[in-house]
Amino acid sequence: MAEDSTTRWTVTVSRETDLALRAFLGAQGMRKGDISRFIEDAVRWRMFDQNVQAIKARNADIPADELQGAIDEACAAVRAEMWPTTRGPV
């Protein structure tokens, strides 16, 4: 984290959560300053997980083979864009 691109938060948690987190971080060899990094990782993971759950719910009524076809098509398009073939017609 670059110091000039951070925002300070005031976060309130229970004493039990505080002690459990500090014990966990200590057992991992982390220090007091690593709490911010841990919280940032946790927030990012939670936002990602909520997005995944929303997408799953939105696509729950789509047949699995149709959904897999759409995924395969999207992956193929991205691969073709990222790694275009360098050879011309054979």
Side-chain angles (χ1 to χ4, degrees):
M1 272 186 295
E3 195 64 35
D4 56 27
S5 65
T6 61
T7 300
R8 183 170 296 277
W9 284 2
T10 300
V11 179
T12 304
V13 297
S14 70
R15 179 82 174 137
E16 180 182 345
T17 299
D18 178 56
L19 293 174
L21 177 58
R22 289 176 190 279
F24 175 78
L25 294 178
Q28 304 297 314
M30 299 174 145
R31 296 191 177 101
K32 181 179 178 182
D34 293 327
I35 291 175
S36 294
R37 190 175 2 224
F38 183 87
I39 291 172
E40 185 165 357
D41 287 346
V43 168
R44 287 177 184 268
W45 179 88
R46 182 67 173 147
M47 290 186 321
F48 175 76
D49 183 60
Q50 287 189 341
N51 281 326
V52 167
Q53 297 309 316
I55 291 167
K56 284 181 177 181
R58 186 177 66 218
N59 293 319
D61 296 334
I62 299 174
D65 57 339
E66 185 179 328
L67 192 55
Q68 188 61 53
I71 291 168
D72 292 344
E73 184 179 318
C75 287
V78 170
R79 287 183 185 122
E81 184 178 317
M82 291 183 72
W83 299 289
T85 57
T86 55
R87 296 184 286 185
V90 232

